[in-house]
């Protein structure tokens, strides 16, 4: 399986997603600050993968601490947590993973653990977050395959695959699950401007797995649907509010509106760690705005003139009424999400 991120001794190692598909390069982060920078600059991206990276970064930072007492260690621990929390605001998996690490730390201290025992506990928790994410993706794949027709043409947006998780993927996990269940699947990957996660990453990992993949530019999905060439849309999520409103990569909302117009089922696949019951609806989800250069340039080439104003939101919110179902590791939840998502956590 594709190694998105792993702890290797005194480093957290991740495949550099900015360089794919041209080069397969691995980045070795030797400090928590380097992991935080890797998240911010999108060496690693995708909501679950960001959470795993933050957890591993925290464990690494504490492993390297020279503190001899718990109090000093705690001060360093909370500082590193703050550093991780300041990387990207939208994916709630980041904050979920940091909270899990905080609970693990508090429990180890409460039990009177030594500095070394606390370090071991944090390493173990980060690895558990990693391993549970892979298991969740596989469960999502098995549940999600039920909504995939026997011979399906599936459109997806951004990259919600092995690269965006600890492995296997959420939306792409559903595709992998359907294929494992014996279904025939062909994928349309939106290129996903401006960072091109669809063209660069989704196409790369699906083709690597031998899954037929057609890359289209973002403005082609309407015409494709109108020609009757899409049976199903499956996307991932960065944060799902209590009422089912879903933040995902910019452009997802447009795809959902088009899918509704053409009566194509639109599904979201995400682990429970992406569901934020504290957030009542999509209007309360913080949307990250990124650097203007991502829009004015493609690779090294400038495509918009100097002086042009730029708006570059990294995500948009798809209102819950466009979503046919939310595929999780606990099954597929249906509208009204305000009730069904609570059951998911029961
Ligand atoms: O900006 P990115 O690349 O981190 O955005 C990623 C997405 O929007 C994904 O669809 C989402 O995180 C789900 S990943 C399983």
């Amino acid at each position: 399986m594709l190694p998105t991120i792993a702890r290797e001794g005194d480093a957290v190692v991740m495949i550099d997603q900015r360089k794919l598909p041209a080069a397969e390069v691995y980045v070795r982060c030797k400090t928590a600050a380097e992991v935080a920078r890797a998240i911010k600059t999108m060496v690693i991206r995708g909501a679950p993968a960001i959470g795993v990276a933050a957890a591993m970064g925290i464990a690494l930072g504490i492993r390297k601490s020279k503190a001899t007492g718990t109090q000093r260690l705690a001060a360093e621990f909370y500082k590193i947590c703050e550093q991780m929390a300041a990387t990207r605001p939208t994916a709630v998996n980041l904050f979920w993973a940091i909270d899990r690490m905080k609970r693990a730390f508090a429990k180890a201290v409460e039990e009177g653990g030594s500095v070394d025992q606390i370090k071991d506990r944090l390493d173990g928790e980060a690895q558990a977050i990693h391993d549970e994410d892979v298991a969740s993706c596989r469960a999502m794949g098995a549940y999600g395959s039920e909504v995939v027709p026997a011979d399906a043409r599936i459109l997806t947006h951004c990259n919600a695959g092995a690269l965006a998780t600890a492995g296997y993927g959420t939306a792409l996990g559903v595709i992998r699950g359907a294929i494992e269940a014996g279904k025939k699947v062909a994928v349309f990957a939106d290129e996903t401007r401006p960072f091109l996660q669809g063209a660069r990453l989704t196409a790369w990992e699906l083709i690597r797995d031998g899954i037929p993949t057609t890359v289209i530019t973002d403005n082609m999905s309407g015409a494709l649907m109108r020609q009757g060439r899409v049976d199903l849309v499956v996307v991932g999520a960065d944060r799902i509010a209590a009422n089912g409103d879903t933040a995902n990569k910019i452009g997802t909302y447009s795809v959902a509106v088009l899918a509704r117009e053409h009566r194509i089922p639109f599904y979201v696949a995400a682990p429970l760690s992406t569901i934020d019951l504290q957030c009542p609806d999509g209007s309360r989800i913080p949307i990250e705005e990124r650097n203007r250069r991502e829009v004015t340039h493609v690779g090294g080439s400038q495509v918009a003139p100097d002086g042009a104003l730029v708006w570059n939101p990294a995500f948009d919110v798809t209102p819950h009424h466009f979503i046919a179902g939310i595929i999780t590791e606990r099954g597929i939840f249906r509208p009204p999400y305000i009730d069904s998502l609570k059951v998911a956590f029961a």
Side-chain angles (χ1 to χ4, degrees):
M1 196 169 64
L2 187 63
T4 309
I5 179 165
R7 176 73 179 269
E8 280 180 15
D10 69 342
V12 173
V13 182
M14 45 186 95
I15 190 164
D16 190 341
Q17 302 197 25
R18 300 165 309 177
K19 305 259 163 67
L20 289 169
E24 203 174 314
V25 175
Y26 289 82
V27 171
R28 290 183 76 82
C29 298
K30 295 208 155 191
T31 63
E34 284 177 21
V35 174
R37 177 131 198 88
I39 297 171
K40 211 177 173 74
T41 58
M42 293 170 74
V43 170
I44 189 161
R45 32 64 52 202
I50 290 171
V52 172
M56 287 191 170
I58 292 167
L60 178 73
I62 288 303
R63 174 60 63 191
K64 300 228 163 153
S65 166
K66 301 229 166 9
T68 49
T70 325
Q71 234 175 341
R72 177 87 197 109
L73 194 72
E76 285 183 33
F77 174 79
Y78 288 107
K79 205 165 153 230
I80 293 171
C81 289
E82 267 175 42
Q83 194 174 31
M84 292 299 166
T87 52
R88 298 194 69 191
T90 304
V92 76
N93 307 63
L94 172 69
F95 307 99
W96 171 89
I98 294 170
D99 281 349
R100 246 182 93 159
M101 295 301 279
K102 283 183 180 168
R103 284 199 301 274
F105 184 87
K107 193 147 190 287
V109 171
E110 213 177 274
E111 288 169 5
S114 67
V115 165
D116 281 342
Q117 284 168 330
I118 295 171
K119 290 179 177 182
D120 289 346
R121 178 74 72 96
L122 293 179
D123 278 342
E125 190 69 6
Q127 192 58 44
I129 289 173
H130 175 283
D131 297 350
E132 288 168 27
D133 186 56
V134 179
S136 294
C137 286
R138 287 197 173 274
M140 254 176 265
Y143 283 119
S145 78
E146 291 165 20
V147 303
V148 176
D151 191 351
R153 297 156 304 171
I154 302 180
L155 183 132
T156 190
H157 189 74
C158 193
N159 171 265
L163 289 166
T165 59
Y168 202 73
T170 58
L172 300 194
V174 169
I175 288 165
R176 291 190 166 101
I179 292 169
E180 281 172 28
K183 296 180 179 179
K184 191 173 158 221
V185 180
V187 178
F188 286 104
D190 282 349
E191 72 169 346
T192 318
R193 271 281 283 157
F195 200 69
L196 303 174
Q197 289 95 331
R200 296 190 304 104
L201 308 176
T202 293
W204 182 77
E205 65 166 88
L206 291 181
I207 285 165
R208 211 169 173 262
D209 274 7
I211 300 170
T213 305
T214 305
V215 176
I216 58 170
T217 62
D218 296 331
N219 49 0
M220 294 173 184
S221 52
L224 192 73
M225 290 182 190
R226 189 139 198 253
Q227 288 180 16
R229 295 169 63 189
V230 179
D231 303 305
L232 188 72
V233 176
V234 186
V235 297
D238 283 81
R239 192 184 296 229
I240 300 172
N243 71 344
D245 290 354
T246 293
N248 191 48
K249 180 51 54 193
I250 189 73
T252 303
Y253 169 59
S254 317
V255 174
V257 173
L258 284 166
R260 167 59 53 89
E261 172 67 16
H262 296 94
R263 296 185 172 76
I264 298 165
F266 177 97
Y267 282 91
V268 170
L272 295 189
S273 54
T274 304
I275 299 172
D276 182 2
L277 291 184
Q278 307 307 315
C279 182
D281 61 60
S283 70
R284 308 284 274 275
I285 300 177
I287 301 293
E288 176 185 12
E289 291 205 19
R290 292 188 64 85
N291 196 303
R292 58 173 276 122
R293 199 186 151 90
E294 288 182 355
V295 173
T296 58
H297 289 66
V298 176
S301 306
Q302 187 168 345
V303 292
D306 290 338
L309 300 176
V310 167
W311 182 50
N312 185 17
F315 304 97
D316 58 26
V317 174
T318 298
H320 59 88
H321 59 267
F322 286 106
I323 303 170
I326 297 177
I327 303 163
T328 75
E329 68 272 38
R330 293 248 174 98
I332 304 178
F333 294 92
R334 304 280 182 181
Y337 298 110
I338 195 74
D339 300 323
S340 62
L341 291 183
K342 275 188 211 131
V343 175
F345 286 91

